[in-house]
Amino acid sequence: MELSNLRNPGLDEVVMKTGKAAGIGLASGTVWGGVVAMHFNGPHVGSNVKYPELVRIGKVSGNYAASFALLGATYVGIEQSLENCRKKDYINGAVAGFTAGATVLGFRARSLPTAVLSGCAIALTSVLLDVTGMKTTDEEAKTGKANH
């Protein structure tokens, strides 16, 4: 038996989409972090550092980039994995949104109430996007099945 026959095409699709989401989150987080860092004045780094503003912008951009990449990868990875295990519906997005929001945003703040609230906020946003028909993926265009 060849190893190529043992590969699961559904798993390859999950990994590919998760990687895309992480890359997009990394890029958008870097840009947004740069905007946020430049909006607030004053270097918050040591005085012995050369180019303290540039170091601060790099740190803030890196922090936002990591957060956005983790948020996107967690959301897409869980949603696609659930889609492979069960049917495609709004519950997949709600579970993925809650999990991504709670783990990435809430536990990063080290607060259980923040974890629950941020998880609920992202889950609600995902459900509203799914129910109103606003799709964040191009899967309907690929399969040719539109729910109109």
Side-chain angles (χ1 to χ4, degrees):
M1 185 184 299
E2 290 183 27
L3 288 178
S4 62
N5 293 337
L6 297 176
R7 294 185 75 178
N8 184 358
L11 182 63
D12 290 343
E13 186 177 346
V14 170
V15 171
M16 183 183 67
K17 287 184 179 183
T18 303
K20 279 185 192 178
I24 291 170
L26 188 73
S28 61
T30 302
V31 171
W32 183 249
V35 169
V36 168
M38 286 189 272
H39 183 272
F40 297 107
N41 295 340
H44 298 286
V45 294
S47 60
N48 294 336
V49 176
K50 195 172 188 180
Y51 305 115
E53 294 87 5
L54 188 60
V55 170
R56 189 176 130 273
I57 289 172
K59 286 181 179 181
V60 172
S61 293
N63 194 7
Y64 274 92
S67 294
F68 280 29
L70 282 172
L71 189 66
T74 304
Y75 178 83
V76 171
I78 291 173
E79 184 183 38
Q80 292 299 312
S81 297
L82 284 174
E83 215 171 275
N84 283 345
C85 296
R86 31 183 332 266
K87 64 182 181 176
K88 179 179 172 139
D89 60 358
Y90 67 93
I91 295 174
N92 297 342
V95 171
F98 183 82
T99 306
T103 57
V104 176
L105 299 176
F107 293 139
R108 191 173 186 122
R110 294 185 178 102
S111 168
L112 186 61
T114 304
V116 171
L117 286 175
S118 59
C120 289
I122 294 179
L124 178 67
T125 304
S126 176
V127 167
L128 289 176
L129 286 173
D130 286 342
V131 169
T132 58
M134 298 177 164
K135 302 297 179 190
T136 58
T137 60
D138 58 347
E139 293 173 13
E140 286 79 17
K142 287 182 190 176
T143 59
K145 297 177 184 176
N147 295 333
H148 298 328

